[in-house]
Amino acid sequence: MTNSSANQMWGGRFSTGVDAIMEAINASISFDQRLAAQDIEGSRAHAAMLAATGIITDNDAKAIREGLLTVLSEIEGGNFEFSAALEDIHMNVEARLKHLVGEPAGRLHTARSRNDQVALDFRMWVRDQCDAAESGLEALIKVLLDQAEAGADWVMPGFTHLQTAQPVTWGHHMMAYVEMFGRDLSRIRDARARMNECPLGAAALAGTSFPIDRDMTAEALRFDRPMANSLDAVADRDFALEFLSCASVSAMHLSRLAEELVIWSSAQFRFVRMSDAFSTGSSIMPQKKNPDAAELIRAKIGRIFGAQTALLMIMKGLPLTYSKDMQEDKEQTFDAADSWMLALAAMTGMMADLTANRDALAAAAGSGFSTATDLADWLVRVLGLPFRDAHHITGSLVAMAEDKGCDLPELSLEDMQSVHAGITGNIFDVLTVENSVASRISYGGTSPEQVRLQITRWKEILT
């Protein structure tokens, strides 16, 4: 079968046959141009090292380094013409550098391969995203701390199975997310520290015979040290996978909070009011105020999960060292990073503008027999009953209240004593939601005292 006939079958998208198809599948410049700043910084450090070790002349290094700044200025100014024929960001930059400075440009690639070059660029880009994520998480945590401090003693229902369980405070609920996002912050910092080793100098896979100084380039590019194995340096993308893992866990936390905002802002709950800045209306129903930002956060999380799975699938079957499959590592990571940063920013904005409905929270806090556990605890603490007996008595009182169509505090003392004669009037002191939350004084509990203690702790952590 001829190329032209084959092209009719599977190449209709490409007007010039198999050469165009190969160019399209091989080129990465459409997306890896995002690595331009890292590529140029890495090349400038490499040129400086080559001169310092006598591999190239100082004059050539100067021309290269100044030319690369011109290229960066053109790219950042939108005046750079990227070419798919040159495949990737590395060759596009090098071709433009040659046009600007001539022969010295050809010396830049001494003691270097595109394999260690792309490993360096991508690692530096992911490292920058770790820094951005750290800033985004810190901003979100601070907003949640503000919400917690404002409502440290505002009662609300705590849920299990989305059923009313026990009263808690708004501040305590907010601080739960502070702890979650705090662990996300710890994870991304830990991942950043682990990835902060420099692959430059590994060359294609085996290192180089030139007398390079890898410590010099590592220090210039703000790495802690050079990577210790040249095969590993060009072969693995676990730093990107770890970033995506951190992003996925954090995205899951964002999605859970987004889900609660969707529920809480509904007419059935009315726990919170979303600001107009993060809501939309309906094209047909004028009464609607939709929590679109929260819903979009909830949806975007799937792209982050998908990126992690995709990169795992790309890497899982590759023998050492580099394979072209690894070109597919970047688009997934770029998209996930964009989605995570946007979701963090949107959630921070929403929580900063969010107004909690204290009255609705309080009204819901006392519903659903939320102080039943306090009643059982009183029976154990005051009457000395075994907890299982206290649990049974409390269940009987809940059933009685259900039959009467009232809540536990609305039962009479006589009603309660009909179930257990030892109950006294003091029982009513523990059946208010305010007394319930105030009594939860164990470390990490929901009492306002404990909530304020944790707020203070986190403020000290973030300073």
Side-chain angles (χ1 to χ4, degrees):
M1 183 179 291
T2 65
N3 284 342
S4 59
S5 61
N7 192 44
Q8 292 174 5
M9 294 175 58
W10 51 267
R13 170 65 179 82
F14 303 93
S15 59
T16 58
V18 293
D19 290 345
I21 295 169
M22 184 59 198
E23 179 180 299
I25 197 171
N26 192 49
S28 58
I29 189 60
S30 62
F31 53 85
D32 72 10
Q33 61 186 260
R34 292 186 66 166
L35 301 175
Q38 290 79 16
D39 189 74
I40 289 171
E41 184 181 4
S43 291
R44 294 185 79 244
H46 184 65
M49 181 275 295
L50 292 176
T53 54
I55 298 171
I56 67 174
T57 67
D58 289 340
N59 287 338
D60 282 350
K62 181 180 179 182
I64 289 169
R65 285 166 58 80
E66 291 179 353
L68 286 169
L69 287 180
T70 300
V71 176
L72 180 61
S73 177
E74 291 175 350
I75 293 173
E76 291 179 341
N79 301 315
F80 190 95
E81 186 174 345
F82 293 102
S83 168
L86 292 171
E87 295 185 16
D88 56 30
I89 186 62
H90 323 298
M91 298 305 293
N92 271 262
V93 169
E94 188 171 324
R96 178 58 179 153
L97 180 66
K98 183 176 182 180
H99 180 80
L100 290 171
V101 305
E103 183 183 359
R107 305 188 191 282
L108 173 60
H109 211 53
T110 307
R112 188 178 70 171
S113 163
R114 276 195 293 179
N115 290 358
D116 64 338
Q117 188 177 0
V118 70
L120 171 70
D121 295 356
F122 193 29
R123 188 175 290 255
M124 289 175 65
W125 189 91
V126 172
R127 185 179 65 179
D128 288 343
Q129 297 307 299
C130 290
D131 294 338
E134 181 175 345
S135 297
L137 285 164
E138 287 178 346
L140 176 55
I141 288 170
K142 288 175 182 177
V143 167
L144 291 168
L145 286 171
D146 290 340
Q147 285 282 358
E149 193 165 30
D153 56 359
W154 296 1
V155 293
M156 68 173 290
F159 298 96
T160 61
H161 311 280
L162 204 54
Q163 306 288 320
T164 299
Q166 292 177 263
V168 295
T169 59
W170 173 258
H172 195 52
H173 202 108
M174 293 296 100
M175 290 304 296
Y177 282 106
V178 167
E179 293 292 334
M180 294 181 207
F181 292 120
R183 289 191 295 275
D184 295 340
L185 182 61
S186 175
R187 269 184 284 271
I188 200 64
R189 286 172 173 169
D190 187 51
R192 189 196 190 283
R194 191 164 16 260
M195 72 177 64
N196 203 34
E197 296 182 335
C198 185
L200 188 60
L205 75 161
T208 178
S209 60
F210 288 95
I212 62 173
D213 185 344
R214 293 192 65 203
D215 290 305
M216 179 181 174
T217 47
E219 182 178 356
L221 297 170
R222 302 172 304 285
F223 287 99
D224 294 330
R225 64 193 68 85
M227 294 185 73
N229 185 284
S230 61
L231 299 174
D232 174 51
V234 300
D236 210 352
R237 293 296 184 265
D238 59 351
F239 64 91
L241 282 165
E242 189 166 12
F243 171 77
L244 292 173
S245 177
C246 293
S248 294
V249 175
S250 180
M252 176 268 295
H253 290 148
L254 286 166
S255 187
R256 295 185 73 180
L257 180 52
E259 171 71 3
E260 294 204 309
L261 294 178
V262 171
I263 294 171
W264 289 349
S265 62
S266 68
Q268 290 72 28
F269 273 74
R270 297 185 302 108
F271 282 6
V272 300
R273 185 171 69 252
M274 309 282 284
S275 74
D276 292 348
F278 292 95
S279 305
T280 64
S282 166
S283 62
I284 191 172
M285 295 169 285
Q287 84 281 10
K288 294 291 294 298
K289 185 175 182 180
N290 300 324
D292 280 13
E295 292 171 349
L296 287 167
I297 288 173
R298 191 175 56 186
K300 280 185 176 293
I301 299 320
R303 298 170 68 150
I304 299 173
F305 293 171
Q308 182 184 20
T309 301
L311 185 52
L312 283 167
M313 294 301 292
I314 289 166
M315 297 300 300
K316 73 174 182 63
L318 300 184
L320 298 184
T321 56
Y322 182 84
S323 296
K324 196 68 171 182
D325 311 50
M326 292 163 68
Q327 183 168 291
E328 294 296 310
D329 56 2
K330 295 168 199 66
E331 283 184 286
Q332 313 291 340
T333 309
F334 292 163
D335 184 75
D338 290 346
S339 296
W340 188 20
M341 301 310 147
L342 181 57
L344 280 170
M347 185 60 77
T348 301
M350 277 193 297
M351 293 308 300
D353 290 352
L354 188 75
T355 302
N357 185 342
R358 185 176 184 179
D359 292 339
L361 291 169
S367 65
F369 312 107
S370 65
T371 56
T373 305
D374 298 275
L375 193 157
D377 288 347
W378 184 91
L379 293 171
V380 172
R381 188 173 58 252
V382 176
L383 301 186
L385 299 179
F387 183 79
R388 288 303 174 196
D389 293 346
H391 187 282
H392 179 77
I393 293 166
T394 301
S396 298
L397 291 171
V398 167
M400 179 185 293
E402 283 183 326
D403 290 341
K404 290 178 175 286
C406 66
D407 212 336
L408 285 173
E410 296 168 326
L411 291 175
S412 68
L413 179 59
E414 290 75 19
D415 289 334
M416 292 192 179
Q417 288 176 336
S418 70
V419 176
H420 192 282
I423 295 176
T424 69
N426 292 335
I427 189 69
F428 294 100
D429 293 338
V430 302
L431 295 183
T432 67
V433 291
E434 291 77 13
N435 286 345
S436 174
V437 298
S439 71
R440 306 294 172 180
I441 58 174
S442 57
Y443 182 81
T446 192
S447 71
E449 172 190 348
Q450 281 295 318
V451 170
R452 293 187 176 103
L453 178 68
Q454 297 303 328
I455 292 170
T456 299
R457 181 177 70 87
W458 268 101
K459 286 184 175 181
E460 292 173 351
I461 290 173
L462 293 176
T463 54

